[in-house]
Amino acid sequence: MKKHRDTSIVQITDANIEEYAREMTTPESEGVKALIASSDAELEYIDMLSGNLVGQMLKMLIKISGAKRILEIGTFTGYSAIMMAEALPDEGEIITLEMNLRYQKLACKHFREFDHQNKIKLLEGNARELIPELKGEFDFIFIDADKLSYESYFKQALPLLKQGGLMVVDNVLWDGTVLDPEDQKAQALHEFNKMVSQDSRVEQVLLPVRDGVTIIRKK
Ligand SMILES: C[S@@+](CC[C@H](N)C(=O)[O-])C[C@H]1O[C@@H](n2cnc3c(N)ncnc32)[C@H](O)[C@@H]1O
């Protein structure tokens, strides 16, 4: 696995169980597999993709909740946006935010190559500046951008989430380092997890899936 931190993602779950879970989970579509292969060939940071366990969880939650309008914070090469688009009905919409020019280009290329591209709209820029400009309510929000800004994304995005809507947040265990934070990102994620757990506007479950995923429901 290629790296995006000093080391590869530490598996929270036993490695054999993680592999077994992946094997027994619905695989990605052929289109998404091709996207992973081309992202892998072009970039070193392939493990920024949220991966099939999280991707299938997003798809399940979207289908079960009947979400139609989705906000994604952190597009990268478009993996999770495309996974979510596959779960949306034809009239569904995903607005995805990305500030890195290279990733914007790659994501747009992947969206063009993809059957459901009409459902995905990429907004280019810093999410912290773009979120306050967004109009209308969202049924579902996926947070997966800069870990130091999770608290701001949550505070900015929660008012845009409809009552009963879901917010999914990736990497909340950060290799398990949130238990004893020694760097800024681990500390920020620990503070974020504490903040969510004390916010009476929401209920949430933190799942030790891959690098940790929290599912938050707005009451
Ligand atoms: C972990 S990757 C997203 C992976 C993607 N959700 C997936 O599963 O395929 C995080 C992305 O967030 C972007 N990002 C970080 N901070 C951002 C910000 N403030 N505004 C917009 N994009 C940001 C990074 O450039 C990177 O592409």
Side-chain angles (χ1 to χ4, degrees):
M1 182 188 279
K2 293 180 185 175
K3 298 167 183 177
H4 73 107
R5 305 178 194 158
D6 295 339
T7 55
S8 302
I9 288 184
V10 172
Q11 278 162 323
I12 307 289
T13 320
D14 173 271
N16 294 324
I17 292 180
E18 178 101 2
E19 195 183 330
Y20 185 84
R22 274 203 303 267
E23 275 171 22
M24 296 299 159
T25 295
T26 305
E28 288 116 343
S29 65
E30 291 310 313
V32 172
K33 281 186 187 152
L35 178 152
I36 297 169
S38 74
S39 299
D40 198 11
E42 286 166 286
L43 294 168
E44 281 187 16
Y45 304 115
I46 190 64
D47 75 347
M48 286 230 269
L49 302 183
S50 42
N52 195 36
L53 286 185
V54 176
Q56 287 298 338
M57 187 193 293
L58 290 169
K59 289 178 101 165
M60 285 280 181
L61 290 170
I62 290 164
K63 287 184 182 176
I64 293 166
S65 66
K68 292 202 171 110
R69 189 161 190 255
I70 298 176
L71 170 63
E72 176 179 64
I73 306 173
T75 317
F76 189 44
T77 55
Y79 172 86
S80 46
I82 289 178
M83 289 288 273
M84 293 192 288
E86 287 183 334
L88 274 181
D90 288 345
E91 70 278 19
E93 177 190 35
I94 298 177
I95 295 179
T96 181
L97 316 180
E98 176 58 55
M99 69 188 301
N100 179 295
L101 293 177
R102 186 167 178 218
Y103 302 157
Q104 288 164 5
K105 274 197 190 157
L106 272 171
C108 284
K109 175 173 160 277
H110 292 146
F111 297 155
R112 276 197 303 277
E113 290 164 1
F114 183 67
D115 281 351
H116 303 268
Q117 61 149 320
N118 54 325
K119 294 179 194 165
I120 308 173
K121 184 173 173 196
L122 174 78
L123 298 186
E124 301 174 351
N126 189 322
R128 290 196 307 277
E129 287 156 23
L130 294 170
I131 299 168
E133 304 293 319
L134 295 171
K135 303 271 180 285
E137 275 193 329
F138 290 88
D139 305 315
F140 193 97
I141 297 177
F142 179 43
I143 299 184
D144 190 20
D146 170 33
K147 311 308 162 196
L148 296 177
S149 303
Y150 269 24
E151 208 172 308
S152 330
Y153 302 144
F154 176 85
K155 285 180 179 160
Q156 288 181 307
L158 190 66
L160 302 178
L161 186 64
K162 74 166 188 192
Q163 197 180 357
L166 298 179
M167 187 185 275
V168 176
V169 189
D170 201 12
N171 306 108
V172 293
L173 291 176
W174 204 241
D175 293 347
T177 57
V178 290
L179 269 65
D180 187 12
E182 283 184 1
D183 64 34
Q184 265 192 314
K185 286 188 181 172
Q187 186 61 39
L189 284 164
H190 175 55
E191 294 301 329
F192 169 77
N193 291 334
K194 269 200 311 190
M195 183 197 70
V196 173
S197 72
Q198 290 162 6
D199 192 323
S200 60
R201 297 171 297 173
V202 296
E203 54 189 339
Q204 71 286 336
V205 54
L206 193 163
L207 301 171
V209 172
R210 194 170 170 264
D211 198 25
V213 178
T214 300
I215 303 171
I216 300 168
R217 180 181 172 276
K218 185 169 171 180
K219 291 179 190 166

